[in-house]
Amino acid sequence: MIIYFLFSSITFLQLYIPIVIELRKRSEKHTPYFIIRANYKDYANPFSETNYPILLKYAKKYNIILIDSRKINLKAIQGLVFMVDGDIYGPPVPLAFRESLLFKLDFVKTKRISLTEHMNYKWVYQHYSKYIDYVILPNQQSVSQIELSEENKKLFLYKNLFLGNTKFDNIPNIESIYTKYNLDKKQKYCLLLFPKIQFRTDYKNEELSNIYQILHILDYKIIVKTRPKDNTHPYKIEPQFYGDKFIISDIYPNESLELMKVCSLCIMFSSSAGDETIYSKIPTLDFPVIWKKKGKVERNEYLVDEKVFRRIEKWRALDNDKLNQIINEMEIKGSNYFDNIISNNFNNLGNSSKVILSNFI
């Protein structure tokens, strides 16, 4: 049985590879085909000089057949087709719609299943839902974040399957993570998810430097994690913000999840990674650099909890005593307190690929 994956971003590896692994467990006769297309955003483009060798490495390791979308008749494809967010990459703009391969498929011959990446589904769901057979969402709470009219929510509701998120499958063990990043097990680490490029003008450098200084006073080593898309001209991250270890990546396995497993604290700036921190049982401080608009639901609002995932609105005025007090008021890494939050908000954690394939194979 041939199963197709629309591959328009190198970042999709963390969502697709777990499914491919589970597919191979079931039968060597199940063949994964990645249909590759170019992406107008170079950092994500599978054909770029940086990304194509990465894709080839994983294709060889997992026996994935790669197909250039420009060299096949997409209307002739039959069977199961996985994609991410309707294969609409980034904001729902005309160019993203033109590049999407979803609209080039034969809707009679194919069964189309869409996964979600980060919070992108919030804005593009309404544009692809009617062309998809099923949308795999991480949980029921995620529906509240979709920007849809109530009428359309009812219309598309039957297509939603709350089967979890495959990025949480197959995360390496702690020992291998320490080795991979050359970390000291005796050291206390803080993972700092560097602000996205669009937020760089919403804070001053000295405000961010203050946070670094306080963390060092509190005896944390700082691991700074960013994505290639957020380290581009004219907003390349300055060396003064590299921390004690600086990591730029967004492929498979999910490096943020790996690092969260070995860090004691996480700090983010209006990031969508709240689900990753809860899964990793790491106390997290969210320092907002964007503000809630009237009538709009804050991203991952359902995960906010003073004990484990706290938003600090006045983070710019923090000193070491106040930050230390906040951290001491929260649960420690790995606390059982996380268990109830996880059970209420995560479906099929760690085995989402298996459950998804059980529904469709």
Side-chain angles (χ1 to χ4, degrees):
M1 180 179 181
I2 294 175
I3 298 184
Y4 298 98
F5 297 80
L6 302 185
F7 197 87
S8 54
S9 170
I10 196 67
T11 63
F12 293 173
L13 284 172
Q14 61 182 296
L15 299 173
Y16 287 163
I17 293 297
I19 298 177
V20 169
I21 291 173
E22 181 61 31
L23 199 62
R24 289 299 189 187
K25 288 180 183 177
R26 290 165 180 260
S27 173
E28 287 299 319
K29 294 180 181 178
H30 293 321
T31 307
Y33 280 69
F34 281 17
I35 301 176
I36 314 167
R37 72 162 172 88
N39 193 312
Y40 72 99
K41 298 188 175 185
D42 190 61
Y43 65 81
N45 184 9
F47 287 115
S48 76
E49 291 184 8
T50 300
N51 293 334
Y52 196 64
I54 295 172
L55 179 57
L56 286 177
K57 180 184 77 172
Y58 283 102
K60 181 178 180 180
K61 182 175 182 178
Y62 295 108
N63 297 316
I64 300 165
I65 296 175
L66 304 179
I67 306 175
D68 188 329
S69 62
R70 298 165 295 188
K71 298 179 180 179
I72 62 168
N73 177 10
L74 289 164
K75 292 290 184 185
I77 288 174
Q78 301 182 51
L80 197 59
V81 183
F82 283 97
M83 66 195 72
V84 177
D85 295 320
D87 200 42
I88 302 168
Y89 192 81
V93 296
L95 181 55
F97 291 125
R98 289 197 299 272
E99 287 196 339
S100 171
L101 299 183
L102 165 62
F103 308 105
K104 299 175 175 63
L105 299 173
D106 186 313
F107 293 168
V108 175
K109 294 178 181 178
T110 56
K111 178 77 73 176
R112 297 163 307 286
I113 293 94
S114 185
L115 309 175
T116 61
E117 183 183 42
H118 306 306
M119 295 294 294
N120 196 45
Y121 72 92
K122 177 176 179 177
W123 300 280
V124 298
Y125 179 98
Q126 61 182 318
H127 299 288
Y128 68 77
S129 293
K130 57 185 171 184
Y131 306 105
I132 294 288
D133 291 290
Y134 295 102
V135 180
I136 309 297
L137 291 168
N139 51 35
Q140 203 117 18
Q141 293 87 332
S142 53
V143 175
S144 66
Q145 304 193 96
I146 298 172
E147 296 188 346
L148 273 182
S149 67
E150 289 303 315
E151 182 180 354
N152 281 339
K153 279 185 181 179
K154 293 176 183 176
L155 180 64
F156 297 135
L157 187 62
Y158 72 95
K159 295 188 175 187
N160 297 334
L161 296 178
F162 305 106
L163 304 181
N165 194 315
T166 57
K167 71 179 177 181
F168 295 116
D169 297 355
N170 307 319
I171 301 301
N173 62 52
I174 289 177
E175 290 297 323
S176 63
I177 296 170
Y178 274 113
T179 301
K180 175 179 178 179
Y181 296 101
N182 192 27
L183 301 176
D184 183 353
K185 295 179 184 178
K186 298 178 182 178
Q187 183 60 56
K188 185 170 64 170
Y189 292 102
C190 173
L191 176 63
L192 189 144
L193 302 180
F194 203 80
K196 295 178 181 178
I197 195 168
Q198 63 264 39
F199 303 149
R200 300 289 173 82
T201 58
D202 295 321
Y203 61 87
K204 298 176 181 177
N205 279 356
E206 52 266 32
E207 293 170 339
L208 188 58
S209 294
N210 180 53
I211 297 301
Y212 280 62
Q213 291 169 13
I214 294 172
L215 288 171
H216 280 143
I217 290 172
L218 298 180
D219 207 26
Y220 285 95
K221 292 289 187 182
I222 304 172
I223 301 177
V224 176
K225 166 71 170 58
T226 192
R227 303 172 298 178
K229 65 186 286 185
D230 292 321
N231 189 44
T232 57
H233 181 79
Y235 293 112
K236 286 188 75 69
I237 298 171
E238 299 174 12
Q240 71 186 84
F241 293 124
Y242 283 6
D244 300 292
K245 186 172 286 288
F246 185 55
I247 297 166
I248 309 175
S249 185
D250 196 17
I251 54 171
Y252 173 84
N254 182 308
E255 291 91 346
S256 295
L257 283 171
E258 288 183 318
L259 292 166
M260 286 175 191
K261 288 191 81 168
V262 296
C263 289
S264 304
L265 176 71
C266 179
I267 290 178
M268 61 175 64
F269 300 81
S270 297
S271 169
S272 60
D275 59 337
E276 296 176 3
T277 69
I278 297 297
Y279 159 79
S280 305
K281 294 188 174 183
I282 183 171
T284 299
L285 303 177
D286 184 11
F287 296 164
V289 284
I290 55 175
W291 301 100
K292 186 175 180 180
K293 296 179 182 178
K294 188 175 182 180
K296 299 290 185 181
V297 177
E298 184 78 68
R299 59 180 70 186
N300 289 326
E301 187 71 30
Y302 66 93
L303 293 175
V304 173
D305 183 306
E306 290 290 294
K307 286 288 190 180
V308 294
F309 184 73
R310 184 183 292 200
R311 288 207 170 106
I312 310 296
E313 304 289 352
K314 297 180 180 179
W315 63 271
R316 291 167 172 82
L318 283 176
D319 58 31
N320 58 298
D321 289 334
K322 183 60 178 176
L323 183 56
N324 193 40
Q325 177 189 337
I326 291 171
I327 293 170
N328 288 333
E329 290 171 352
M330 299 176 73
E331 294 290 321
I332 63 170
K333 172 70 180 291
S335 165
N336 292 336
Y337 186 92
F338 286 92
D339 295 340
N340 191 48
I341 301 174
I342 290 172
S343 64
N344 290 333
N345 295 289
F346 290 82
N347 296 345
N348 308 311
L349 196 58
N351 69 335
S352 181
S353 301
K354 182 177 181 178
V355 175
I356 290 171
L357 290 179
S358 296
N359 275 265
F360 298 112
I361 298 297

